[in-house]
Amino acid sequence: MTTRLSLLLSASLICLGLSPARAAIDHPDAAHADTAHAAHPAQPIERTSSGTITIDGKPIAYQAVAGTLVVHPHGWDDSDETVQHQTPGSDAHAIDGNPDATASMFYVAYFRKDSRAESRPVTFIYNGGPGSSSVWLHMGAFGPRRVVTNDDSHTPAGPYRLIDNPQSLLDVTDLVFIDAPGTGFGRINGKDKERLFWGVDADGQAFTSFVTQFLAKYGRYNSPKYLFGESYGTMRSAVLVNDLQNQESIDFNGVILLSQILSYDNSVDEPALNPGMDEPFVLALPTYAATAWYHHKLPQQPDDLKTFLAEVEHFASTDYLSALQQGAALPDADRARIVERLHAYTGLPADYIRRADLRIDGGEFSKTLQSDDGMTTGRLDTRFSGPALDPLSEEAGYDPQSTAISSAYVSLFNDYVRKTLNYGDGLTYRPEIDIQHWNFHHATGGPDSTESDGPANVMPDLAEAMKTNPTLKIMLNAGYFDLATPYYEGIYEMRHLPIPAALQKNIEFRQYQSGHMVYANIPALTQLHDNIADFIRRTDNQPATTTP
């Protein structure tokens, strides 16, 4: 199981951003200043600026705050006066049982100026990884400025374009983009810092501490409140909303999920390492079909994607699932029939499907679909393609989508944060960090309960949050061309939450003709903005005239 967890982490590290080798982008002459920054991470810093963005024809003036908040691991007790005088980052690893480790978490908040802060919604936004900053959602989706990249091909090298973003969510909510501990300009420090901040539960506790501090610092406890997580950030959201509501007694209006994975047992990355678990193959099949449809690899090309996918979903959850569950007992005639159906739905050669025992994982599909053309299919967004690194390999050697857009995001954010937000001169911004020992084990009953075995499954956390706050609304957004977290996987997880049937009405679903980063496609970004804005307006518990 340890091996599978390690491989899941390796796959997740490319889920939202850069390869580890490209994770740190250094500012010139940054070495000395950044070393000093890391040595004293527990000094909160903030810089304020202002701007205006036009959304739906209306100018919106806003204040931007870029800064850090300091958080402590679970179990930290700030009521002891001796703790309050402890030097951050000192050699002593504990005082009266308190851990010495600290994390400074970097954030950028945007506050609309022409509204009453206490009644205006506030949304906390983060990417996943684990080990990713929020640069992707910040600069590609909802910040007031947006990176311009090509829709489904490699964006040429700089100079890149940064434009006003009419799809920013500042028309309906204030925005707080949060970088995970150790990413962005944030740093972790102290004894056992990795163990105390890098794990499903430890990460949830760090974000819980950040959110509560932010609400207090900016007087937003009584505002309508939302969480927005992408990819691993959806797993974080399930843990976080449960911790906030049931540990801190802070109810949230809604949780907005993008490209969901709540149980790693459903991941199509290396499922063969968990033999007997066939669900990942079933849940990924509609994405394989959508991808083959996009690249015109199907034996017969359907006209309408949604109608085609409805047919594939039905086959996946009935005949295909039944065939897989029979294993070696599947009759030869039935096996041959399933092979032909899979060929018709994926475009993969029938002989390849037969030799794969009807089970093709995500990396194998990416490598094989366009192999006759010498091309590898994207993982984060299967609309993307790139030259195969090794034509004879079994799986894809890289993700063409990630390499196609990462440079533009990282380059422009490094300019924007320093020149516009006035933060970071002499410091290193880490868009993503290489975490080798993330703790995927999860205590489903809260951080003080016994940890579970195997890969994390946070479906019980989201279920508990919904049951203890039956007014909590959930919105799941997904791209048809996402092979990192297939859209049908998210639907499956939501339909299998251990909640009363009546609470299913609190969950809504939206799909888009895009990939993992739905916002990388501008028509999909426009739809995403409109759907989320409508969701917030319907769930903020105040008259429409109250919020500008």
Side-chain angles (χ1 to χ4, degrees):
M1 188 60 69
T2 301
T3 301
R4 182 165 189 259
L5 287 173
S6 300
L7 286 167
L8 283 171
L9 175 56
S10 299
S12 65
L13 284 174
I14 63 170
C15 199
L16 279 179
L18 305 176
S19 63
R22 301 177 60 195
I25 305 299
D26 292 346
H27 185 273
D29 304 320
H32 176 75
D34 198 55
T35 300
H37 179 61
H40 301 285
Q43 305 299 325
I45 305 169
E46 65 180 51
R47 299 286 184 269
T48 302
S49 57
S50 60
T52 302
I53 181 65
T54 298
I55 303 175
D56 196 23
K58 301 175 182 177
I60 297 173
Y62 62 85
Q63 180 188 62
V65 180
T68 56
L69 289 178
V70 177
V71 303
H72 300 278
H74 174 65
W76 175 268
D77 181 5
D78 65 358
S79 64
D80 193 315
E81 291 185 0
T82 60
V83 170
Q84 298 175 18
H85 299 289
Q86 181 182 10
T87 302
S90 63
D91 291 335
H93 68 270
I95 293 182
D96 290 344
N98 273 312
D100 170 62
T102 57
S104 63
M105 294 176 64
F106 179 70
Y107 68 95
V108 179
Y110 296 97
F111 304 107
R112 183 167 175 167
K113 289 184 177 181
D114 57 348
S115 65
R116 292 187 303 154
E118 65 273 13
S119 64
R120 181 166 166 77
V122 59
T123 303
F124 298 93
I125 303 175
Y126 35 82
N127 283 99
S132 176
S133 70
S134 62
V135 65
W136 321 104
L137 283 165
H138 189 171
M139 302 303 289
F142 303 128
R145 301 278 284 167
R146 177 168 56 79
V147 174
V148 176
T149 58
N150 288 350
D151 181 45
D152 64 356
S153 60
H154 198 104
T155 299
Y160 303 108
R161 292 176 57 211
L162 187 66
I163 63 173
D164 286 345
N165 184 17
Q167 286 80 34
S168 171
L169 284 170
L170 271 170
D171 54 337
V172 292
T173 179
D174 289 339
L175 306 170
V176 188
F177 296 93
I178 311 171
D179 288 350
T183 71
F185 289 120
R187 299 294 182 264
I188 60 174
N189 195 53
K191 183 178 177 61
D192 295 330
K193 57 184 182 292
E194 292 89 357
R195 178 180 64 83
L196 292 171
F197 289 111
W198 288 349
V200 175
D201 294 331
D203 174 87
Q205 286 295 300
F207 272 79
T208 295
S209 178
F210 178 95
V211 170
T212 56
Q213 285 191 55
F214 186 95
L215 295 174
K217 178 180 177 67
Y218 292 102
R220 303 304 294 269
Y221 263 101
N222 202 36
S223 298
K225 294 175 284 291
Y226 297 84
L227 300 178
F228 186 112
E230 178 182 350
S231 192
Y232 178 82
T234 63
M235 182 169 282
R236 175 185 293 136
S237 290
V239 175
L240 179 55
V241 72
N242 195 36
D243 288 351
L244 285 166
Q245 293 188 160
N246 292 311
Q247 290 182 32
E248 304 296 333
S249 298
I250 305 172
D251 279 358
F252 269 64
N253 296 63
V255 177
I256 304 165
L257 305 171
L258 177 63
S259 305
Q260 172 181 301
I261 182 165
L262 300 185
S263 172
Y264 275 115
D265 274 332
N266 294 325
S267 173
V268 76
D269 295 319
E270 303 285 355
L273 295 174
N274 194 15
M277 184 67 181
D278 288 323
E279 210 67 52
F281 303 106
V282 173
L283 302 180
L285 182 60
T287 298
Y288 294 168
T291 304
W293 176 88
Y294 185 85
H295 292 288
H296 297 276
K297 292 294 183 178
L298 296 171
Q300 294 184 335
Q301 185 76 5
D303 293 328
D304 183 70
L305 177 61
K306 291 184 179 181
T307 302
F308 173 54
L309 291 181
E311 177 184 329
V312 177
E313 290 170 14
H314 178 73
F315 167 75
S317 59
T318 54
D319 292 356
Y320 184 42
L321 176 60
S322 175
L324 295 181
Q325 289 179 333
Q326 292 180 64
L330 181 68
D332 290 342
D334 290 344
R335 183 181 300 274
R337 181 174 56 85
I338 296 297
V339 166
E340 289 305 315
R341 294 286 295 279
L342 289 174
H343 169 66
Y345 288 146
T346 68
L348 297 176
D351 183 61
Y352 179 83
I353 296 170
R354 188 178 301 106
R355 288 186 289 110
D357 195 24
L358 313 181
R359 297 163 175 85
I360 298 96
D361 71 26
E364 292 166 344
F365 177 83
S366 294
K367 174 62 174 63
T368 307
L369 180 66
Q370 302 183 81
S371 60
D372 288 346
D373 303 320
M375 301 295 285
T376 289
T377 305
R379 173 177 177 267
L380 292 175
D381 192 329
T382 60
R383 298 174 305 141
F384 285 74
S385 304
L389 295 183
D390 180 0
L392 300 180
S393 65
E394 181 178 342
E395 296 192 350
Y398 75 112
D399 183 1
Q401 192 264 7
S402 180
T403 59
I405 65 174
S406 294
S407 177
Y409 276 76
V410 173
S411 300
L412 287 176
F413 181 79
N414 272 280
D415 272 354
Y416 172 73
V417 70
R418 294 174 172 86
K419 296 176 182 178
T420 301
L421 300 180
N422 304 317
Y423 193 101
D425 282 347
L427 302 177
T428 301
Y429 187 82
R430 297 173 177 171
E432 189 166 271
I433 56 176
D434 182 10
I435 300 179
Q436 295 293 332
H437 300 291
W438 184 270
N439 185 357
F440 277 102
H441 294 285
H442 173 50
T444 55
D448 294 317
S449 65
T450 303
E451 290 185 346
S452 64
D453 293 327
N457 182 342
V458 300
M459 292 167 64
D461 298 73
L462 185 58
E464 182 176 354
M466 294 180 70
K467 287 186 283 191
T468 56
N469 173 13
T471 66
L472 179 67
K473 301 300 191 295
I474 310 296
M475 181 185 192
L476 173 57
N477 301 275
Y480 290 127
F481 306 113
D482 175 12
L483 194 49
T485 56
Y487 79 92
Y488 199 46
E489 171 196 298
I491 295 173
Y492 175 87
E493 290 173 343
M494 285 301 185
R495 289 175 177 170
H496 287 77
L497 287 179
I499 57 176
L503 285 181
Q504 281 286 335
K505 69 178 186 304
N506 288 2
I507 306 172
E508 55 190 80
F509 304 86
R510 299 289 185 272
Q511 284 92 41
Y512 308 85
Q513 290 199 30
S514 189
H516 192 77
M517 300 167 68
V518 165
Y519 43 90
N521 172 268
I522 300 308
L525 172 59
T526 301
Q527 296 169 14
L528 183 66
H529 166 273
D530 294 347
N531 289 337
I532 294 173
D534 175 65
F535 175 79
I536 291 175
R537 291 188 180 106
R538 287 187 284 108
T539 58
D540 64 3
N541 296 335
Q542 55 185 327
T545 55
T546 302
T547 303

